[in-house]
Amino acid sequence: MNSKWLIALLTSAYALAQDPRQIMEEVQKRAQSKSQQYEGTLEVVDAKSKVSTKRWEYSRLGAFGNSKSVLRFTAPAEVKGVALLVHNHPDRSSDQWMWRPAIERDQRIALQDRSTRFFGTDFSYEDLEERDVNQFDFKLLGEETIDGKPCWKLESRPREKKVSQYTYSHLWIRKDNYVYTQIEAFNKAGLARRIKYTDIQNIQNIWTARTIEVFDATKKSRTTLKFEKLQYNVPLDDSGFTLQALRRSS
Amino acid sequence: MTLLRLISFQYVRKHKLRWLLTLAGIVLGVAVFVGMHTANQSVLRAFHQTIDRIAGTTQLQVSAGEAGFPEEALETVQNSPDIRVAVPVIEASVNPGRGNLLLLGVDMTGDRSLRDYDLENNNDDAIDDPLVFLAQPDSLLVTRIFANAYGLKIGDKLPMATMAGPRDFVVRGIMQSGGLASAFGGNLAVMDIYAAQKLLGRGRRFDRIDIAVREGVRVEDAQANLQKLLGTGYLVESPGARGQQFESTAQIYSLVSSITSMFALFVGMFLIYNTFEIAVSQRRSEIGILRALGATRSQIRTLFLGESVVAGLVGSVLGIAFGLLLARGIAAYVGTMLSEVYGVAQNVEDVAAEPWLLAAALFVGTLTSVLAALIPARDASRVDPVKALQKGKLQLIGQGENMRRRIGAIVLFALALGCMSMSYIRPLFYLGYLLAIMAAVLFAPTACNWVTRTLRPLMKWLRPVEGALAADSLIESPRRTSGTVTALMLSLALVIALGGVARSSYKSIQDWLVIALSPDLFVTTNESLTSRSFVFPPEIGDGIATIPGIDLVQMVRTVRINVRNTPVMLVCTDIASVARKIHLPPREGDPDTMYQEAAKGKGVIVSDNFALLRKYKLGDIIELPAPDGPLRMPILGIVIDYSDQQGSILLDRELYIKHWKDTTVNVFRVYLQNPTFEPSVRAKIQEMYGGRTRLFVFTNQDLRAYILKLTDQWFGLTYVQIAVAVLVAILGIVNTLTVSISDRKRELGVLQAVGGLRNQIRGTIWMEALAIGFTGLVLGLVVGAIQLYYTLEISRTDVAGLRLDYQYPINIAAVLLPVILGAAWISALGPAESAVRGSLVEALEYE
């Protein structure tokens, strides 16, 4: 590579790096895919070290700000078939519905309930939404090293139209591949959740964390989500992301 | 104070039994007052506590009557900018075979924003696995109290009959004690609301929405905005306001208990009056000495009033203690009955009186005693010291005083008649009632004298010596007996009035049952017909109708709605079909056209008690609070219907479905082609649906028995009142005789000294007791006739709206004769023995 080119690239990257919005847009751009599918294993360890494990299948169609996703539990048997349908919107908070096959009922998850825990895990319903860059304001706080990797530390605050339980969040973005490595989400009381992204691998040219660990600062419990059979840009049909589809598949 | 200590205390010590009997009147009155009011308060407090504990941090609640409202309203509320949290709730009282359990159906995703399920250790993991809890509709969260009571632990099963058939519920979480977990005495279970809808047969409806407003928004503003948003068919109110509806249903018991306790105190007042009058007579020489030594009239009056204050205080304190003991039993009774009759679930945890009630009881008891002592104290202050020091002479009621009383009685009675003619003005009606009783009280000594004089020949014929002596003793000492006879008269009048109301009510209800309960079978979701927690889908009725041998199936949905701030029963059924089978006796309106028009949805038919209590007339427009807005309907007819004590409104089912959007059914009324098909049809219904849903089949006889059982429960308090009245009556006789014997110790001693045999003395006292009992009974039966009129009027206009026929309870009167005469005779045994076995010398030296 020509040294001039190298200097130009470094200069532009540095300039890019100084603008938090551009950093986040780059994060979003690099994670962009038409669809995504994986099988997840969820392990919840409560404050008394009691462990419960569940498995789910996840499909997403569309990208940031305009996507639809379905999360369906597959194990254990008592919870098999319970599903969550999420419709993300670019200009407002997502719509979410829960499907429970045992009573054959769908139930809309109200905005007010997004801060509650997702089925006893340490994720909240809001944490399962996609973070569209256009719904937040960002500020660059500095640079820090996380797990030996240099990162930008940013602060994000939800814009007016975005209903969020969090007043602000701290985001750590790896400089080398523009991937989240840690998020600390704060509410009025202080730190609410810490989300750590590890086992980051390049899958179909998209740097992806294969393990996400959520720590609930209030309850001192921990949930670990591991991704398996992760694929991007798989062909998915829009009709599979409706309430009717949820009902049909139960 | 010195006089009280030196004179009164000595006198009381000498006549302990007499004073105890005197105090008994106050004790009983105060006990009934404290017991019944404490019980009522405790029941209300328990209900409010349950509401508060269930409400959690709820600031507002949205409801639309008992039928609930469609789910769509939730989103409207949640989208309101004033609202921070809005969560749906279903509340039902169920019986899983381990006592009543309050089942709370909540949306587990958001409900914790309002309610804390685990206050004790602040551990959020009260639910073993939240996902499993939500995924499995049989999940139940119970309280530690309930779990401990029935030995339940996580994973244990709790069987329950549901609308989806019998189910084994699994305990998937245990709430620690405190807060929500202590609501309804800890007999509380929480389940997912959507599962509850299915298991209770509620369809896609909620009972209410609990709300917390956003920070910075005034609750009043949020309430007004939400009310505007939802329309008048919904009620947006604070959680505490729910208690007001319950209070209005419990109010009736408060009124009944007030009347009974006031009556007991009123009767007790005469007992005290009697004792003080005799005490004044007995202590006239003592009073004479005091007066001779320079005591002023005012000091004598104060001495007796001071005694009455002490007696009142002691009696009240004892009454309060006794009342608090009574309260627990009464609270359990009232609680069960409100639950049975009104289907309002609550559980009385602790029975405790409020300080103001105890203070009021102390005040009322003491005041009663002081009022009773006013006349005797005045008489005492007027004792002539010279006459008083002459032994063996009693001052009798002067002719002038008797005359004044008679004239007073006639004037009061005339005024009472005047008030009666204007009884549509309620204060005048109650004034008339009071005047009539006062007239009877004033006239009682004269009437007592007349009856005794009339009895004298009979008594003399029966026992020439004893009869004549007894009659003369009563005639010559009216002051000694008139108080007791008046007390007896009032007590027995109350017995006659209450008995009359009960008798008329029974007859009216039985007549109504014959007309209204004509179906052969009733298919319900509950053993208790008043519980409406579970409901049927209409399809079950369609299925039942296909069973061979069935002529007609009527679907009935009953829901309690608020009309003019009172919960009344809305009965929704196919009116055309009802008209084919029954015509409830009309009070107003054309019996033919009213059903036709109502069947077309052009109006409603209301019960007579509803019209009377809520002041509605034929043709008036009634506003029914439907979820889609108030439904204004004209009253097409007023009929006699005892379906509900607060009144009922008959509305066509189609109209109900249209405005309430509720197709569910409480009861299927089944008519058979032939009554002999009953066992086979019943068996077929059970076979078709018994295993699939929660279902109970009652025969016509079963239902009648059930309604009469409820009627019995309703009159349970009346029977308590009757028992209290009879007890007071007996107490009066015992009191009088005990007082009378000690008062006449010298007289009886003289009789023995001049050759009177012990048997003759004994017989005289027995005859006297029987005469007092008989006189009180005669007067009581007469005054009871008046009292019955007033009680029926109060019941008709102010309490139950029941237009009952005047039926004198001859059977009760017949029972009272041997009871009172027997009680009089038994009461006389002790005093008679005391009179004949005492020392003759001591008796002659008495006084």
Side-chain angles (χ1 to χ4, degrees), chain A residues 62-239:
Chain A
F64 290 96
N66 197 9
S67 65
K68 293 170 182 175
S69 63
V70 173
L71 184 157
R72 192 185 303 277
F73 285 91
T74 53
E78 301 104 292
V79 303
K80 192 176 175 185
V82 175
L84 183 77
L85 172 68
V86 182
H87 285 188
N88 290 301
H89 306 290
D91 52 347
R92 59 190 162 92
S93 298
S94 64
D95 289 317
Q96 297 186 355
W97 295 269
M98 179 171 35
W99 170 255
R100 281 185 283 163
I103 53 169
E104 297 178 320
R105 272 298 308 257
D106 54 77
Q107 175 196 344
R108 193 172 179 278
I109 309 293
L111 274 178
Q112 59 174 36
D113 300 334
R114 302 290 166 86
S115 59
T116 59
R117 299 173 77 200
F118 174 67
F119 296 132
T121 67
D122 293 294
F123 288 102
S124 69
Y125 286 89
E126 185 185 347
D127 297 329
L128 299 172
E129 292 177 357
E130 287 185 327
R131 298 170 64 90
D132 180 24
V133 70
N134 293 320
Q135 292 182 342
F136 297 88
D137 290 322
F138 300 97
K139 193 162 84 179
L140 184 63
L141 297 178
E143 294 178 12
E144 283 179 13
T145 301
I146 300 280
D147 296 335
K149 303 287 181 189
C151 298
W152 287 295
K153 183 181 179 185
L154 292 91
E155 181 190 275
S156 77
R157 284 184 184 269
R159 285 182 173 171
E160 202 177 317
K161 282 187 180 173
K162 166 77 181 170
V163 176
S164 176
Q165 65 186 299
Y166 305 121
T167 43
Y168 67 94
S169 300
H170 287 166
L171 320 172
W172 283 264
I173 309 293
R174 258 171 69 165
K175 285 180 162 184
D176 58 345
N177 55 12
Y178 287 86
V179 170
Y180 285 107
T181 162
Q182 183 170 290
I183 297 176
E184 282 183 349
F186 297 83
N187 56 24
K188 282 176 189 167
L191 179 66
R193 284 184 179 85
R194 180 180 297 120
I195 307 173
K196 291 202 75 161
Y197 298 80
T198 54
D199 190 14
I200 294 168
Q201 293 179 11
N202 189 324
I203 300 169
Q204 295 172 252
N205 287 326
I206 296 174
W207 288 96
T208 310
R210 296 187 65 120
T211 302
I212 301 178
E213 186 185 271
V214 185
F215 171 70
D216 186 318
T218 316
K219 291 171 51 57
K220 314 290 181 211
S221 57
R222 202 173 295 274
T223 297
T224 308
L225 172 62
K226 290 190 173 171
F227 300 98
E228 294 158 35
K229 299 180 187 170
L230 201 150
Q231 297 176 74
Y232 289 108
N233 299 319
V234 283
L236 293 172
D237 189 2
D238 192 56
S239 62

Side-chain angles (χ1 to χ4, degrees), chain B residues 330-396:
Chain B
I330 300 174
Y333 172 80
V334 173
T336 309
M337 196 195 50
L338 282 172
S339 170
E340 283 271 330
V341 178
Y342 294 104
V344 181
Q346 51 67 55
N347 199 356
V348 186
E349 287 165 53
D350 51 357
V351 175
E354 288 178 15
W356 71 263
L357 180 72
L358 300 183
L362 203 63
F363 175 73
V364 170
T366 310
L367 182 71
T368 306
S369 180
V370 172
L371 286 176
L374 275 179
I375 295 175
R378 186 204 62 188
D379 291 348
S381 70
R382 287 179 184 174
V383 164
D384 182 335
V386 179
K387 280 187 188 170
L389 292 170
Q390 294 173 352
K391 279 198 169 185
K393 284 195 176 178
L394 296 177
Q395 284 175 280
L396 304 175

Side-chain angles (χ1 to χ4, degrees), chain B residues 501 505 613 790-802 804:
Chain B
V501 170
S505 303
L613 288 173
Y790 282 103
T791 312
L792 287 175
E793 273 299 299
I794 292 171
S795 163
R796 183 177 74 88
T797 315
D798 300 324
V799 176
L802 296 180
L804 301 171

